[in-house]
Amino acid sequence: MGLLMVVVACGGSKGPSNEVLVSAAASLIDAFGESETAFEATNSEFDVLLNLGSSSSLREQVLEGAPVDVFASANASNMAQVIDAGASDQSTTFALNALQIAVPVGNPAGITGLEDFADPKLLIGLCAAGVPCGDFGRQSLEAAGVVPSLDTEEPDVRALLTKIEAGELDAGIVYVTDVLSSGAVAGIDIPEEFNVVAAYQIAVLTDAPNPRGADAFVDFVLSEDGQEILRRFGFESP
Amino acid sequence: MASAVNLVADFRLSRASGFDLELSMSIPAGETVALLGPNGAGKSTAVAALAGLLSIDTGRIALGEVTFDDPQVGSFVPAHQREIGVLFQDGLLFPHLNVMDNVAFGLRHRGIQSDVARARAEGWLRRLGLEGLERRLPRQLSGGEAQRVALARALVTEPKLLLLDEPLSALDVTTRAQLRRTLAEHLAGFPGPRLLITHDPTEAFLLADRVHVIEDGNITQVGNADDIRLRPRTRYAADLAGSNLVSGTAAGGSVDTGRHTIQIADSAIEGEVLLVIRPAAIALYLHEPEGSPRNSWLTSIDLIEDLGDRTRVLTGPPLPLAAEVTTDSARSLGLRPGTDIWLSIKATEIDVQAR
Amino acid sequence: MLVALGLLALAIFSLPLIGLLARTPWSRVPEILSREVVRDALRLSIVTSSLATLFAAILGIPLAWLLARAEFRGREVVRGIVTLPLVLPPVVGGAALLFALGGRGVIGEPLNQATGLLLPFSTSGVVLANTFVAMPFLVLTVEGALRSLDHRYEGAAATLGATPWSILRRVTLPMISSSLLAGLLLTWARALGEFGATITFAGNLAGRTQTLPLAVFVALESDREVATALSLLMVAISLTVLLILRDRWWRAL
């Protein structure tokens, strides 16, 4: 909960005007990390602070009045709730992320596809319901007609990945970007007809303490430079 | 009841603290032996070894045919399997159990049925004048009552050996005297060997048939009251026997010791008594003292001991006593063995203990 | 001045509770608490905490006895290890359990291959995680009580014919019963509230490993009011347990 620490550090009030506080879904950690560096290089008057977490908890923070400038969500519903509450006017889709099955390196359980998720003898994990990755994963399984035999519902993608990386779980459903950034799991594609593509949304918040900086950052993300960075980490451009 | 057996203990024990105990004694059935010594002498260690709470390093402890502890042949009987009864200094009644449950504790753990156990426990409670206290908790008892309950608890299991670890030390003077009489009575009725641990010479000499003096982990002297007080082997023994203990029969202010009649201050005391006369209370004169104080007689000097700034003078017939004077006085009086000397003791300086 | 500071301290403790009560959706509470997922979490919490307390007692009392009475080299080290779960962040504890007893764990893997036993993602795993974090409370409470107990009473019991096992049951434990009870209640309360080690080691699945604290955390993601209602339930349970702890048992701690 980095946001809490930021709030406390700032004494709960608006920070200095060159800071841009970006709350972004956890799966954007690498892409936005590089985007931050690239953005600050060409816009040196701004200092981007990244606050990463699950889209749903970030949404909660925004709704509770956290002093965020930009909100980047991994799915439309969290963003919709923010817009409905009047915390933002509009959002833009800035990246697409497809789902992929993640298995430990070497695929010890011999997973071949979504059907294996119904096998009670295998250790299967998903993100918890309410977490975008978890909702999408369930959608995908439903589309494939598979009733999963779950062993755990992890609170966020990172927790799920950690257990797959350690070999404690045989398979899970995460984003393509997660498999790439982990480097310690192998990915198995999900057929397009069952796959769910997450449309990542980005928006400037109406009560942003630094609206100029917020706009500048969003513009960068949507620019060709920003999009190229995202593609490099496995996202697709809308 | 099984026939009573003798205790034989001959062992060495070293404790982690570096304390070494070497003990050699045998107690025949029906006898009470006292282990008398200052604090830290090793008395509690001795009790713990005999009780089976500590194991010895070398030697052997046996009760009759049963070997309690013999490291050389690897045999050790743990405490709960030795049929012993122990009376502790603080009684150590279990605070969460009432008097009846405390007394019946040993019986219940030997597998005796609860109603039989109760009956036997009640018998002992009656014998020790504790009826009506069955439901009391230990903290609701007086010091004397608690010790009597502890005695009942130890005796009710009909043990083969009785160990008394400073049983009277924690009591006040009056209770101590009362309980000493109770103890004497029940010890006499106990068929097996009895070991009394104490630092109080009066207690030792009154209750025991034989006294072993223990100092710093070793027995320094064995004997009865006379042996130790008249021929002390160590400074400690001398200090102990430093209170002359003379037994006799009191009547109308006089005590007949068998060898001489001593006048005492209290004319009401009757019966068997023990007189305690401090050596420093005995005054020595070259000539018959004037004013004839009540107790004075002519005697001769048997032995003179130079104890540094004090000198101990052992007198001879009719009643041998140990007197103590300053070394300067001894020199100025020119005391030598064989010299005739007058001694006198004020009746008020004589402490009378009823037996 | 003292009173002012005391009131401030009280405020720090009560404000979160007041915040919780203020946000509680009272009208929805009955419906929420009757949901199956909530009843599952409650049942799981109570069962795992109780089992964890039982194991903590079975393993912890002998350990406490050894620490209090036996003289052996390395006693300080053992006590340090036993205290570790108290100072370790629970998630770290859970991760450590995973490394040791997970399906790919140092001990877990051979154990699984030999017996087919797998602890993560199971209710037994929850009990293990709870036992790990809560047992130190019991061990330290009982050790403290045993230390202050005059162990000559045990010697007396031995001379009266009680076997070591009998002595433990009839003399030692009854004499430390206040502290023991307080220790057990604290252990139970700690196990009930355990989150980090549970979610890291045992995972999170309704009906199997999702205890009340996990349910609250997950509910925060989707429906805050449900989270609030569950939090209230946990506070109610914990407060009840702690109020049962009478004054004299607190002193025994």
Side-chain angles (χ1 to χ4, degrees):
Chain A
M1 294 291 142
L3 184 66
L4 214 55
M5 285 174 58
V6 172
V7 167
V8 169
C10 297
S13 58
K14 296 184 183 175
S17 59
N18 67 331
E19 278 181 6
V20 185
L21 184 55
V22 177
S23 281
S27 45
L28 290 161
I29 180 173
D30 298 317
F32 267 28
E34 216 181 280
S35 300
E36 175 189 352
T37 317
F39 174 73
E40 284 171 1
T42 49
N43 297 275
S44 51
E45 73 266 33
F46 294 124
D47 177 20
V48 172
L49 298 173
L50 281 180
N51 171 39
L52 299 152
S54 69
S55 304
S56 30
S57 54
L58 293 173
R59 170 208 82 213
E60 276 308 304
Q61 289 171 7
V62 167
L63 293 178
E64 287 291 335
V68 176
D69 291 301
V70 178
F71 177 38
S73 166
N75 69 355
S77 87
N78 279 309
M79 184 58 81
Q81 286 181 55
V82 165
I83 291 177
D84 284 344
S88 182
D89 289 328
Q90 59 158 57
S91 65
T92 319
T93 305
F94 70 99
L96 300 174
N97 205 354
L99 297 175
Q100 202 177 31
I101 298 173
V103 294
V105 171
N107 195 1
I111 306 281
T112 52
L114 288 175
E115 324 76 60
D116 292 320
F117 278 59
D119 187 347
K121 291 197 296 296
L122 297 176
L123 294 172
I124 307 290
L126 285 181
C127 292
V131 178
C133 158
D135 291 335
F136 291 154
R138 283 171 177 77
Q139 269 179 48
S140 179
L141 285 164
E142 212 181 297
V146 174
V147 177
S149 165
L150 288 183
D151 293 283
T152 183
E153 298 175 12
E154 295 297 319
D156 59 64
V157 170
R158 185 85 296 269
L160 182 58
L161 272 174
T162 307
K163 292 202 172 147
I164 297 173
E165 285 166 8
E168 294 293 334
L169 284 174
D170 293 319
I173 297 181
V174 298
Y175 293 114
V176 168
T177 52
D178 297 316
V179 174
L180 263 169
S181 70
S182 152
V185 294
I188 296 175
D189 287 329
I190 297 176
E192 220 178 285
E193 60 267 31
F194 306 136
N195 209 331
V196 180
V197 177
Y200 281 54
Q201 309 279 307
I202 194 166
V204 170
L205 298 174
T206 32
D207 287 332
N210 186 357
R212 271 187 53 240
D215 283 332
F217 184 75
V218 172
D219 285 341
F220 177 81
V221 168
L222 295 172
S223 73
E224 184 50 36
D225 286 340
Q227 289 291 300
E228 197 257 310
I229 292 174
L230 285 162
R231 278 195 294 272
R232 227 174 326 119
F233 284 98
F235 291 94
E236 285 172 33
S237 296
Chain B
M1 206 193 317
S3 56
V5 286
N6 307 336
L7 173 74
V8 173
D10 188 352
F11 64 88
R12 277 189 114 103
L13 207 175
S14 283
R15 303 211 64 175
S17 56
F19 181 80
D20 289 316
L21 173 68
E22 196 173 331
L23 197 70
S24 180
M25 62 161 59
S26 72
I27 309 177
E31 242 185 58
T32 305
V33 165
L35 197 60
L36 174 65
N39 290 328
K43 311 192 295 290
S44 330
T45 308
V47 174
L50 292 170
L53 298 170
L54 280 178
S55 62
I56 61 183
D57 294 331
T58 57
R60 184 167 178 267
I61 301 177
L63 186 66
E65 303 273 293
V66 181
T67 303
F68 276 170
D69 197 346
D70 188 344
Q72 198 161 27
V73 304
S75 99
F76 178 76
V77 178
H80 62 276
Q81 287 168 353
R82 303 188 187 189
E83 290 167 82
I84 55 175
V86 187
L87 181 59
F88 297 90
Q89 177 176 349
D90 301 325
L92 292 185
L93 295 177
F94 304 121
H96 60 289
L97 298 176
N98 63 24
V99 166
M100 171 55 74
D101 289 333
N102 257 290
V103 176
F105 189 89
L107 293 174
R108 299 302 313 281
H109 282 269
R110 304 232 166 126
I112 297 188
Q113 298 278 48
S114 97
D115 41 346
V116 175
R118 286 189 78 85
R120 280 170 62 171
E122 270 178 26
W124 272 99
L125 287 173
R126 231 179 305 118
R127 240 169 277 160
L128 286 162
L130 298 163
E131 316 91 54
L133 297 177
E134 287 89 355
R135 291 204 178 284
R136 295 260 187 100
L137 287 175
R139 61 170 181 271
Q140 296 166 313
L141 301 171
S142 71
E145 285 167 343
Q147 273 304 60
R148 276 183 283 147
V149 173
L151 182 62
R153 184 177 71 173
L155 290 175
V156 77
T157 57
E158 288 170 9
K160 298 212 169 64
L161 164 69
L162 197 58
L163 301 172
L164 304 125
D165 187 357
E166 310 237 25
L168 308 176
S169 305
L171 303 169
D172 65 77
V173 174
T174 338
T175 323
R176 203 180 297 182
Q178 287 170 350
L179 202 66
R180 189 169 52 224
R181 272 190 290 279
T182 312
L183 260 186
E185 182 193 320
H186 288 278
L187 284 181
F190 181 77
R194 289 93 66 170
L195 180 67
L196 168 72
I197 314 286
T198 182
H199 64 268
D200 181 345
T202 316
E203 200 176 302
F205 293 135
L206 275 176
L207 292 171
D209 301 304
R210 218 166 358 111
V211 174
H212 291 238
V213 180
I214 182 171
E215 290 173 67
D216 218 7
N218 286 288
I219 303 279
T220 54
Q221 190 165 6
V222 180
N224 58 24
D226 277 346
D227 295 329
I228 293 172
R229 74 185 178 90
L230 293 177
R231 283 170 291 276
R233 291 239 195 95
T234 63
R235 178 62 187 266
Y236 172 71
D239 287 342
L240 282 179
S243 275
N244 296 287
L245 297 169
V246 185
S247 48
T249 318
S254 296
V255 174
D256 179 7
T257 68
R259 301 196 231 198
H260 192 81
T261 307
I262 303 273
Q263 305 301 318
I264 56 174
D266 189 343
S267 50
I269 295 186
E270 306 259 325
E272 295 290 309
V273 292
L274 192 73
L275 302 177
V276 185
I277 307 169
R278 288 176 305 110
I282 302 174
L284 299 176
Y285 303 92
L286 288 176
H287 306 284
E288 186 173 0
E290 274 143 61
S292 52
R294 296 227 240 145
N295 293 301
S296 55
W297 61 83
L298 178 64
T299 181
S300 62
I301 297 179
D302 269 358
L303 203 67
I304 294 185
E305 259 186 326
D306 186 337
L307 301 174
D309 55 333
R310 287 145 60 208
T311 297
R312 176 174 239 109
V313 179
L314 295 181
T315 65
L319 179 63
L321 287 175
E324 232 175 57
V325 294
T326 63
T327 306
D328 287 339
S329 307
R331 225 174 280 138
S332 62
L333 284 171
L335 300 181
R336 260 183 287 283
T339 319
D340 282 345
I341 195 114
W342 280 90
L343 65 77
S344 84
I345 316 164
K346 289 202 194 123
T348 49
E349 299 259 330
I350 299 175
D351 183 18
V352 185
Q353 298 274 353
R355 275 197 89 130
Chain C
M1 181 59 181
L2 214 59
V3 175
L5 284 174
L7 284 174
L8 182 62
L10 186 62
I12 293 178
F13 286 117
S14 352
L15 279 175
L17 187 59
I18 293 171
L20 184 64
L21 289 170
R23 287 296 191 95
T24 306
W26 295 104
S27 55
R28 286 186 63 197
V29 165
E31 180 269 316
I32 293 172
L33 293 183
S34 62
R35 292 189 195 170
E36 192 180 335
V37 67
V38 171
R39 283 184 286 131
D40 271 345
L42 179 63
R43 176 187 52 85
L44 212 52
S45 269
I46 295 194
V47 167
T48 57
S49 301
S50 307
L51 281 175
T53 307
L54 180 67
F55 291 141
I58 293 175
L59 298 171
I61 293 176
L63 182 61
W65 197 93
L66 282 172
L67 283 173
R69 295 294 170 75
E71 286 174 27
F72 58 93
R73 240 182 306 162
R75 188 158 60 159
E76 291 307 312
V77 177
V78 173
R79 194 181 290 118
I81 294 176
V82 167
T83 321
L84 205 59
L86 278 181
V87 299
L88 215 56
V91 173
V92 176
L97 281 173
L98 206 55
F99 295 146
L101 294 164
R104 295 296 170 86
V106 175
I107 301 172
E109 188 164 12
L111 185 65
N112 183 26
Q113 277 166 2
T115 64
L117 183 70
L118 193 67
L119 287 169
F121 314 118
S122 71
T123 312
S124 313
V126 179
V127 175
L128 177 64
N130 283 357
T131 308
F132 179 76
V133 298
M135 188 155 85
F137 283 92
L138 189 72
V139 175
L140 292 178
T141 312
V142 173
E143 188 201 339
L146 286 173
R147 273 180 187 282
S148 52
L149 185 66
D150 185 347
H151 50 96
R152 291 181 306 154
Y153 286 102
E154 291 160 4
T159 62
L160 286 164
T163 59
W165 179 233
S166 239
I167 296 177
L168 186 70
R169 268 176 44 230
R170 297 270 166 79
V171 179
T172 316
L173 288 181
M175 286 184 75
I176 59 165
S177 62
S178 289
S179 292
L180 183 60
L181 203 59
L184 285 170
L185 277 169
L186 255 193
T187 305
W188 193 84
R190 176 67 186 88
L192 190 75
E194 177 44 38
F195 171 78
T198 309
I199 198 167
T200 311
F201 179 66
N204 170 46
L205 195 70
R208 206 197 295 172
T209 55
Q210 189 176 76
T211 54
L212 274 173
L214 267 61
V216 171
F217 185 71
V218 168
L220 275 172
E221 307 266 338
S222 49
D223 186 345
R224 233 172 352 114
E225 292 194 333
V226 171
T228 314
L230 290 177
S231 303
L232 201 64
L233 179 61
M234 285 216 69
V235 168
I237 296 175
S238 305
L239 259 182
T240 310
V241 168
L242 291 174
L243 285 175
I244 292 176
L245 213 54
R246 302 278 171 77
D247 188 49
R248 60 190 163 105
W249 297 342
W250 274 114
R251 269 186 274 125
L253 276 172

